[in-house]
Amino acid sequence: MDIIVCVKHVPETAEAELKIDATGKGIEKSGLVFDINEWDDYALEEAVRIKEKFGGTVTAITVGSEDSDSTLRKCLARGADKAIRLTDPKFAGSDAYATAKILYNAIKNMRFDIILTGAQAGDDGSAVVGPVLAEFLKIPHATMVKKIEFADGKAIVNRELEGGLEERLEVKLPALFTIQTGINEPRYVSIMGIRKAMQKEIKVMGLADIGLGENEVGEAGSWLTIERLYVPPVEKQAEFLTGSPDEIASKIVEILKSKGLI
Amino acid sequence: MKSETRVVADMNFELTPEQKMIVETAAEIARDYGPEYWREKDRKHEFPEDFWRSLIEAGFPGIVIPEKYGGSGMGMFEMLLAMETLVSEGCGLAGEWFLCLSAVFGGLSITKHGNEAQKEKYLPKIAKGMEFCLALTEPDAGTNTLNIKTMAVKDGDEYVINGQKIFISGADRAKGMLLVTRTTPVDKAPKRTLGLTLFLVDLPNPAIEIIPIEKHGINYSKTFEVYISDLRVPQENVLGEPEKGWYLLLDTLNPERMSFSAAACGLGLLAIKKAVEYAKERRVFDAPIGAHQAIQFPLAEAKAKIEAARLLNYKAAWLYDRGQECGAEANMAKVAAVDAGIQAVYHAMQTFGGYGYAVEYDVERWWREINLIRLAPVTHQMALAYIGQHVLGLPKSY
């Protein structure tokens, strides 16, 4: 089973104090810690587990600058066999569509049985690259995948739906799956793995290497442009509950439930 | 005008990508085994099975073991980075403790001085998590290691060993022991530093009895009195050259000091982080308590001292990894690290006020943990005596 995993090097933003940068279209990156996108972490682990079970290879691929090498090294240390970084100054400003196009042009001539991506990225949260890439490749895809099995040359996958439901699908291979967190428990990067990862080469490819023109990537090749990035104004809400302690308690429970807090 | 020539010395404080990844992995593990986990393990006096399994899974016990024997062939510096990060990112002393027992006492000693058969027998197992212990200290010798009484007497192809050891941590779980003996009594040896012989002993062994010692802290690991009665060990179990054990042991004791200095720095950083979080939030009068210099300055001072101690400790490891003499740096780093670490944990506890005494806030546990490091692996005062005598060249003071 040859597997390609698309990964992204993203800033950890969950607990960081974010500031909008001077362009008003991005965040201040200095001081932020970058790491593999959380969803991709699960996708990579799933790929390595499938390889360990059925044999084959795992290739990690990313679109990003040289800084992304630490994320690719992490993938190699965890068990990926090859790593490819797609880097070109012209790629800057690519939206999800253009990013998928870049990935498509690198992947279309590669051998693979499945492609895994994270269900979304922790920075832009668009959740689109996977499905668009599958469309470019003209292969089936399933999103928010929580379980993957194989039978008779097909994949049986569970998709996570809202409200605690799961959907089970049979998918023809080759296929692309976007992976939801919790599908597995990613292993720690091992020290021996780190050693091996340092000896492996990261293949770097640019615009010309993948046969695309300047106007097909970056802002020129994108369908979406960011107009403005901002922190939504904080709105305060207060509601006074009335009634007996029992009534108030049940109202509180209702409110907490409706906000998804319990 | 004459152009100025600048000579830039080759000094580099930047970690390699490989070292950065070790730090990241250690931090990831520490996040999974944070203070709450250790509060529970300490309270229940329970060995942290799952934590130890995670360290094994990530290959930490094999850091200093050569690749040929299943390790990753790195040095004490990388080991210190791992220990320091595990400790400071949430594990407390445990982040250093278990690695010191198995990887340093076992893995490093055998890597340095074991013969091929011993390396093949032990190193791959230690890399995979075989636990080890060091039996050095004796009730009547203390820091005066040369005065130990445990005797190994040659009998044909074997040695027969009798004696008593104290403060032997991990002896209950260890499958291997580095046992320090005398093969020539101190009064018959040509020099006091001669006549010591090291043995590798497989455990458990019916000739070795262990009795637990109740402790002030680190209750997730047990420490023992050890009684050795007519223990028969084949001569191939001698580690390194017989009679020269003292000189070989220094290659284990210096890294042990470095490990505990890393632990002291890590504990200090952990306590400071926790105190700073609290000092930013906690308001008693008008401002957060962290706005008061009485809270802020001692923490700032401790932080500065810890960073200095870390650099000195790194230098000790750097020398060790290059096979150079490192006793002066290892002892000075230990003195600096203990001072700084104790100051940090002490003032973190002060920052918490009465809450500092509550188990729930963890600082009291770190206080109990760092108290060990002023006593072991060598007391603060004996480390100072070493510096006075061997670094400053003053007369022996003890």
Side-chain angles (χ1 to χ4, degrees):
Chain A
M1 192 82 67
D2 291 321
I3 309 162
I4 295 171
V5 188
C6 305
V7 297
K8 189 175 184 183
H9 189 61
V10 297
E12 284 179 13
T13 50
E15 285 173 24
E17 278 178 34
L18 297 182
K19 285 194 191 114
I20 307 297
D21 69 12
T23 67
K25 294 179 181 183
I27 53 168
E28 291 275 3
K29 304 263 170 51
S30 64
L32 292 176
V33 178
F34 281 70
D35 202 351
I36 184 170
N37 172 42
E38 191 186 350
W39 286 264
D40 301 346
D41 206 17
Y42 288 89
L44 179 86
E45 177 65 29
E46 197 60 22
V48 174
R49 286 182 189 206
I50 294 169
K51 181 187 92 168
E52 283 168 352
K53 207 166 167 188
F54 301 103
T57 62
V58 174
T59 304
I61 186 165
T62 193
V63 179
S65 68
E66 203 178 336
D67 294 343
S68 312
D69 280 358
S70 65
T71 278
L72 290 175
R73 293 259 175 239
K74 202 169 190 175
C75 296
L76 291 170
R78 284 262 199 70
D81 304 281
K82 286 181 232 161
I84 300 169
R85 170 160 57 81
L86 304 171
T87 303
D88 199 290
K90 304 285 180 222
F91 292 165
S94 296
D95 69 352
Y97 170 75
T99 304
K101 202 182 334 173
I102 295 165
L103 286 168
Y104 163 68
N105 276 276
I107 291 173
K108 66 181 179 189
N109 296 323
M110 288 166 62
R111 231 202 74 75
F112 64 87
D113 298 293
I114 54 173
I115 297 175
L116 302 182
T117 71
Q120 58 175 302
D123 53 358
D124 58 32
S126 72
V128 166
V129 171
V132 176
L133 174 59
E135 287 303 310
F136 273 126
L137 289 163
K138 298 188 172 56
I139 58 171
H141 77 269
T143 55
M144 306 281 279
V145 169
K146 292 276 283 189
K147 189 176 178 186
I148 306 178
E149 290 167 325
F150 297 96
D152 306 326
K154 287 176 184 159
I156 320 287
V157 300
N158 287 24
R159 292 185 61 233
E160 183 182 274
L161 306 178
E162 286 297 315
L165 287 176
E166 280 196 19
E167 181 181 67
R168 201 166 161 78
L169 299 173
E170 197 180 273
V171 187
K172 275 202 287 186
L173 296 179
L176 181 147
F177 304 120
T178 82
I179 303 299
Q180 175 63 313
T181 55
I183 186 173
N184 52 44
E185 199 177 320
R187 71 195 65 191
Y188 296 117
V189 173
S190 82
I191 311 265
M192 272 84 92
I194 293 173
R195 261 273 131 113
K196 286 185 194 133
M198 290 299 155
Q199 288 150 11
K200 289 180 191 165
E201 183 205 2
I202 293 175
K203 188 174 174 188
V204 181
M205 295 167 86
L207 192 63
D209 301 317
I210 58 171
L212 278 174
E214 278 184 28
N215 293 328
E216 295 174 279
V217 299
E219 279 181 25
S222 292
W223 286 359
L224 305 177
T225 49
I226 295 174
E227 277 198 12
R228 184 161 83 96
L229 191 73
Y230 65 100
V231 180
V234 179
E235 289 173 20
K236 284 185 183 164
Q237 270 188 336
E239 187 182 348
F240 291 95
L241 303 176
T242 52
S244 70
D246 275 354
E247 286 163 1
I248 292 174
S250 0
K251 281 180 193 167
I252 292 173
V253 170
E254 280 312 308
I255 292 167
L256 292 176
K257 268 192 187 160
S258 69
K259 305 248 180 231
L261 296 169
I262 52 172
Chain B
M1 223 170 96
K2 213 171 129 187
S3 75
E4 204 181 326
T5 312
R6 297 198 339 148
V7 179
V8 181
D10 178 22
M11 195 177 289
N12 187 354
F13 292 95
E14 175 126 41
L15 298 184
T16 64
E18 210 167 352
Q19 291 163 342
K20 281 183 194 161
M21 284 175 84
I22 294 174
V23 170
E24 280 167 24
T25 300
E28 206 176 312
I29 295 175
R31 277 196 292 275
D32 289 345
Y33 299 95
E36 269 177 41
Y37 176 84
W38 295 105
R39 205 183 301 149
E40 188 76 359
K41 293 292 170 198
D42 188 59
R43 191 175 63 79
K44 288 187 174 164
H45 292 223
E46 205 170 74
F47 180 84
E49 295 282 0
D50 33 7
F51 168 72
W52 183 237
R53 260 199 308 278
S54 292
L55 287 189
I56 296 166
E57 188 195 317
F60 280 65
I63 290 180
V64 294
I65 291 174
E67 285 179 276
K68 187 179 163 194
Y69 304 104
S72 41
M74 298 182 185
M76 236 356 248
F77 179 58
E78 284 77 13
M79 181 56 97
L80 293 185
L81 288 176
M83 288 173 163
E84 218 177 51
T85 310
L86 285 166
V87 174
S88 67
E89 292 296 318
C91 299
L93 190 76
E96 175 265 355
W97 184 260
F98 299 103
L99 288 174
C100 185
L101 297 184
S102 296
V104 175
F105 293 163
L108 192 57
S109 308
I110 297 168
T111 296
K112 280 269 170 184
H113 300 296
N115 58 35
E116 193 51 38
Q118 290 165 338
K119 286 180 179 171
E120 275 171 17
K121 177 178 173 189
Y122 290 105
L123 295 181
K125 286 187 191 159
I126 294 172
K128 289 206 166 57
M130 174 191 188
E131 291 173 57
F132 231 83
C133 65
L134 167 66
L136 165 63
T137 307
E138 296 190 4
D140 297 328
T143 310
N144 193 357
T145 302
L146 300 178
N147 224 20
I148 59 165
K149 301 280 187 299
T150 297
M151 283 297 299
V153 179
K154 193 101 194 266
D155 180 21
D157 293 343
E158 290 182 327
Y159 282 88
V160 182
I161 305 174
N162 281 284
Q164 189 187 340
K165 298 282 177 185
I166 194 160
F167 301 127
I168 311 309
S169 296
D172 53 337
R173 300 179 46 94
K175 294 283 180 282
M177 174 188 267
L178 176 59
L179 176 59
V180 186
T181 69
R182 269 208 168 270
T183 30
T184 306
V186 68
D187 48 0
K188 299 218 172 78
K191 262 170 82 179
R192 277 172 53 78
T193 48
L194 289 172
L196 271 79
T197 300
L198 310 181
F199 287 90
L200 295 170
V201 181
D202 294 333
L203 296 180
N205 189 303
I208 298 179
E209 191 193 349
I210 58 171
I211 298 172
I213 301 167
E214 213 172 318
K215 297 193 301 247
H216 175 56
I218 319 171
N219 293 312
Y220 37 73
S221 173
K222 293 191 173 71
T223 299
F224 298 87
E225 287 178 63
V226 173
Y227 295 88
I228 304 160
S229 321
D230 291 329
L231 169 68
R232 301 191 80 87
V233 179
Q235 65 182 13
E236 59 262 29
N237 285 30
V238 172
L239 181 72
E241 208 180 324
E243 298 283 295
K244 301 266 178 69
W246 168 247
Y247 301 99
L248 311 176
L249 199 53
L250 292 176
D251 283 335
T252 302
L253 299 185
N254 281 322
E256 182 193 20
R257 280 177 184 33
M258 295 172 209
S259 302
F260 278 92
S261 299
C265 292
L267 275 166
L269 293 175
L270 176 60
I272 289 173
K273 191 165 128 200
K274 180 114 178 176
V276 165
E277 276 168 20
Y278 184 75
K280 280 184 186 168
E281 299 291 325
R282 172 76 168 164
R283 283 169 182 268
V284 182
F285 296 98
D286 293 332
I289 59 169
H292 306 309
Q293 292 182 354
I295 297 288
Q296 199 175 105
F297 282 15
L299 294 175
E301 197 176 316
K303 167 73 175 164
K305 288 183 180 174
I306 288 171
E307 294 305 331
R310 288 174 79 188
L311 289 178
L312 186 49
N313 202 33
Y314 291 168
K315 185 180 173 191
W318 185 86
L319 289 166
Y320 182 85
D321 289 339
R322 277 159 186 73
Q324 296 178 35
E325 173 53 44
C326 64
E329 287 74 11
N331 279 285
M332 291 193 290
K334 205 241 166 202
V335 165
V338 166
D339 258 344
I342 285 187
Q343 183 175 352
V345 182
Y346 178 95
H347 285 287
M349 208 161 168
Q350 288 303 112
T351 303
F352 276 91
Y355 294 101
Y357 211 64
V359 172
E360 192 189 331
Y361 287 82
D362 300 308
V363 191
E364 67 81 32
R365 186 176 68 258
W366 301 330
W367 178 249
R368 287 186 283 116
E369 292 184 347
I370 203 157
N371 271 337
L372 174 76
I373 312 178
R374 64 188 163 105
L375 306 169
V378 61
T379 64
H380 196 54
Q381 287 66 26
M382 287 309 290
L384 288 170
Y386 180 97
I387 298 167
Q389 187 185 346
H390 298 288
V391 182
L392 302 181
L394 289 167
K396 190 174 173 181
S397 62
Y398 49 95

